[in-house]
């Protein structure tokens, strides 16, 4: 998938080193983990992502690259990945203890290399993933969750038109700073999508 500035390529084993680079920055993981994962843990995370991508046709994970300027909406073969790596964009089936077990609900996420923060890449990729979720895959609802303290991620959710749903307080054995503020969930429903597209 393409946007004005990005090429989104389905995550594949050849992208593992890019995931490792992304997950080696403590600021990128600030609201996700209290420590940097080992390479073995990153490999295990990559395998879980690849397995989750196969659960609902059309959902999964994409590596984002700077686009070569081709027209948005066009597709290209994987062999044409030539732009700079921007980050990992996520739209797997909803999963986890605080998410519905429903194949028509997906979980939007984004992780961007720090040097590309505050340039609108997460919002741009998220908009095309929302369109994909509703217009191609046929999802009924897309949710996004983050720590309430994560102002950047919440800003993306609002910028793409998602609606705040709730704040909840999961239990953590080793909570991150700001965990006492809870986690937040935003959503985009098919009805909302039909109204804004």
């Amino acid at each position: 998938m393409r946007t004005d500035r990005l090429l989104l390529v389905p995550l594949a084993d050849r992208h593992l080193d890019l995931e490792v680079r992304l997950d080696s920055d403590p600021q990128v993981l600030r609201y996700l983990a209290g420590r940097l994962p080992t390479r073995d843990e990153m490999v295990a995370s990559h395998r879980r992502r690849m397995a989750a991508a196969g659960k609902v046709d059309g959902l999964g994970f994409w590596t984002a690259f700077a686009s070569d300027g081709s027209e948005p909406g066009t597709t290209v073969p994987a062999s044409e990945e030539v732009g700079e790596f921007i980050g990992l964009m996520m739209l797997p089936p909803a999963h986890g203890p605080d998410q519905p077990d429903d194949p028509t609900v997906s979980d939007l996420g984004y992780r961007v290399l720090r040097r590309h923060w505050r340039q609108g890449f997460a919002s741009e990729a998220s908009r095309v993933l929302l369109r994909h979720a509703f217009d191609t895959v046929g999802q009924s609802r897309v949710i996004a969750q983050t720590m309430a303290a994560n102002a950047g991620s919440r800003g993306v959710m609002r910028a793409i038109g998602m609606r705040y749903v709730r704040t909840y307080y999961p239990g953590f054995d080793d909570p991150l700073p700001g965990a006492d503020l809870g986690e937040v969930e935003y959503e985009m429903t098919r009805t909302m999508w039909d109204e804004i597209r």
Side-chain angles (χ1 to χ4, degrees):
M1 292 181 279
R2 285 190 186 276
T3 71
D4 288 338
R5 299 180 297 160
L6 296 172
L7 171 64
L8 303 184
V9 177
L11 181 66
D13 287 339
R14 68 181 179 278
H15 299 131
L16 175 60
D17 287 340
L18 298 175
E19 289 175 275
V20 169
R21 181 167 26 136
L22 184 65
D23 288 351
S24 294
D25 183 340
Q27 286 301 308
V28 170
L29 298 184
R30 178 178 171 193
Y31 296 105
L32 298 169
R35 64 170 180 81
L36 289 178
T38 65
R39 183 170 177 90
D40 286 346
E41 289 169 331
M42 293 181 200
V43 169
S45 179
H46 170 80
R47 288 185 183 137
R48 285 191 300 275
R49 289 176 183 140
M50 296 297 290
K55 290 185 176 179
V56 175
D57 191 33
L59 298 183
F61 300 81
W62 288 262
T63 47
F65 298 91
S67 176
D68 64 2
S70 296
E71 185 174 333
T74 60
T75 57
V76 296
S79 61
E80 294 185 27
E81 294 170 22
V82 292
E84 181 180 3
F85 175 62
I86 302 294
L88 180 66
M89 307 303 162
M90 303 165 237
L91 190 69
H95 59 286
D98 292 295
Q99 296 183 349
D101 184 14
D102 181 341
T104 71
V105 179
S106 48
D107 176 25
L108 179 70
Y110 29 80
R111 199 174 297 175
V112 176
L113 286 173
R114 192 179 348 170
R115 72 173 166 273
H116 299 300
W117 286 3
R118 290 180 280 288
Q119 296 178 45
F121 289 122
S123 296
E124 188 171 325
S126 294
R127 285 185 188 100
V128 77
L129 288 179
L130 286 174
R131 183 173 65 239
H132 176 71
F134 292 114
D135 296 349
T136 304
V137 182
Q139 295 286 278
S140 65
R141 184 171 173 248
V142 176
I143 63 173
Q145 297 175 328
T146 190
M147 287 181 67
N150 189 345
S153 186
R154 293 182 76 175
V156 170
M157 295 171 194
R158 287 190 299 268
I160 62 174
M162 297 186 91
R163 169 178 60 200
Y164 168 81
V165 175
R166 66 182 174 130
T167 300
Y168 61 101
Y169 298 88
F172 294 106
D173 293 334
D174 189 14
L176 297 173
D180 58 309
L181 301 174
E183 302 273 321
V184 292
E185 179 175 306
Y186 285 70
E187 72 175 357
M188 175 73 70
T189 64
R190 173 169 289 285
T191 301
M192 292 168 62
W193 176 252
D194 289 341
E195 290 172 356
I196 67 169
R197 67 182 171 140

